[in-house]
Amino acid sequence: MARVVPSQIVAFVDQNLKKLQAGRLSVSHTSVAGLTGIVRLIDELPTELLTISGNDYNDLVRGVETIRNSVAFWQQNASRDIGIADIDGKNVLQILRHVLTKCPDQSPSHATVELGFITDDVFRDNIRLDISTATSALHNGEWKAATVLAGAAAEALLLWAITNAPGLSNLVQKPKGAPEDWYLREYITVAKSLDLIKNNTEQLANLAMNFRNLIHPGRAQRLREICDRATALTALAAVECIVRDLN
């Protein structure tokens, strides 16, 4: 099944609003397909993308049920158009559009690890989104995407851990420049030196780093390796172990 996102439904609502003539929204032979299509798309929205709550969520439910009930009533009286009542003086489609514009097209799934130890909300959500997308890519058989995104999440987690480690300034041997300018290999080495990650995590992270580098055609051709299910699983395992150690 194709993945439905809020912006897709908003565009569909706009198409139907343009077809409306001045006056009241109604269910008819010409409008019923568009109305039921909007309701079906909303029903198929992934739950993690419904980030609204309170009155916004109430408006979404009222709007959907208003259309659903009006269509059901029209089906029993299909010989005439059935007007759809406004909600608080507003067109139902306009209400749905307003609510859906507040929902993102991307959001971490509820199953994604919370990363509660990271206090920066934006940084934490970006890493969670990479982990969630990498996991989804794995399930969809998109091995390269899963490998690369998991590697990116591992790099971001180690960067956060290192920059927040109290012992970083006392480290005798460390790469030149600011941590933001280091490479993943250096993050792994420094994180291990600071006892932020365990031995097996270091090994997995190094494997994930090597697999992520397979995105470079020259390296992949030279090593005669490609991203596959094994590389994706290894990269995601490295992320899980890093999270476990940092937690």
Side-chain angles (χ1 to χ4, degrees), residues 85-92 94-95:
D86 291 344
I87 296 179
D88 297 332
K90 296 180 181 179
N91 181 294
V92 173
Q94 292 173 331
I95 288 177

Short mmCIF file of all heavy atoms in Angstrom, two decimals, residues 85-92 94-95:
data_model
loop_
_atom_site.label_atom_id
_atom_site.label_comp_id
_atom_site.label_asym_id
_atom_site.label_seq_id
_atom_site.Cartn_x
_atom_site.Cartn_y
_atom_site.Cartn_z
N ALA A 85 -23.51 20.22 6.52
CA ALA A 85 -23.56 21.33 7.46
C ALA A 85 -22.16 21.84 7.78
O ALA A 85 -21.19 21.08 7.85
CB ALA A 85 -24.27 20.88 8.74
N ASP A 86 -22.06 23.15 7.96
CA ASP A 86 -20.80 23.75 8.39
C ASP A 86 -20.51 23.37 9.84
O ASP A 86 -21.42 22.98 10.60
CB ASP A 86 -20.86 25.27 8.27
CG ASP A 86 -20.89 25.76 6.83
OD1 ASP A 86 -20.57 24.95 5.93
OD2 ASP A 86 -21.25 26.93 6.61
N ILE A 87 -19.27 23.48 10.21
CA ILE A 87 -18.87 23.26 11.60
C ILE A 87 -18.38 24.60 12.15
O ILE A 87 -17.40 25.16 11.66
CB ILE A 87 -17.75 22.21 11.71
CG1 ILE A 87 -18.27 20.85 11.23
CG2 ILE A 87 -17.24 22.11 13.14
CD1 ILE A 87 -17.23 19.75 11.28
N ASP A 88 -19.07 25.10 13.15
CA ASP A 88 -18.73 26.40 13.73
C ASP A 88 -18.64 27.48 12.66
O ASP A 88 -17.77 28.35 12.67
CB ASP A 88 -17.41 26.32 14.51
CG ASP A 88 -17.47 25.37 15.68
OD1 ASP A 88 -18.58 25.19 16.22
OD2 ASP A 88 -16.42 24.79 16.03
N GLY A 89 -19.55 27.40 11.69
CA GLY A 89 -19.62 28.41 10.65
C GLY A 89 -18.58 28.27 9.55
O GLY A 89 -18.44 29.16 8.72
N LYS A 90 -17.86 27.13 9.54
CA LYS A 90 -16.80 26.94 8.53
C LYS A 90 -17.08 25.70 7.68
O LYS A 90 -17.63 24.71 8.17
CB LYS A 90 -15.44 26.80 9.22
CG LYS A 90 -15.00 28.04 9.97
CD LYS A 90 -13.63 27.82 10.62
CE LYS A 90 -13.19 29.04 11.39
NZ LYS A 90 -11.86 28.82 12.04
N ASN A 91 -16.67 25.79 6.42
CA ASN A 91 -16.78 24.67 5.50
C ASN A 91 -15.97 23.48 6.02
O ASN A 91 -14.84 23.63 6.49
CB ASN A 91 -16.24 25.12 4.13
CG ASN A 91 -16.33 24.05 3.07
OD1 ASN A 91 -15.66 23.04 3.17
ND2 ASN A 91 -17.13 24.29 2.06
N VAL A 92 -16.55 22.29 5.94
CA VAL A 92 -15.89 21.09 6.47
C VAL A 92 -14.52 20.87 5.83
O VAL A 92 -13.55 20.55 6.51
CB VAL A 92 -16.78 19.85 6.27
CG1 VAL A 92 -16.02 18.58 6.66
CG2 VAL A 92 -18.04 19.96 7.08
N GLN A 94 -12.53 23.04 4.51
CA GLN A 94 -11.59 24.05 4.96
C GLN A 94 -11.06 23.73 6.36
O GLN A 94 -9.89 23.96 6.67
CB GLN A 94 -12.25 25.43 4.94
CG GLN A 94 -12.55 25.94 3.53
CD GLN A 94 -13.36 27.21 3.52
OE1 GLN A 94 -14.14 27.46 4.44
NE2 GLN A 94 -13.17 28.02 2.49
N ILE A 95 -11.93 23.18 7.19
CA ILE A 95 -11.51 22.78 8.54
C ILE A 95 -10.49 21.65 8.45
O ILE A 95 -9.45 21.67 9.12
CB ILE A 95 -12.73 22.36 9.38
CG1 ILE A 95 -13.55 23.59 9.75
CG2 ILE A 95 -12.28 21.61 10.64
CD1 ILE A 95 -14.81 23.28 10.53
#
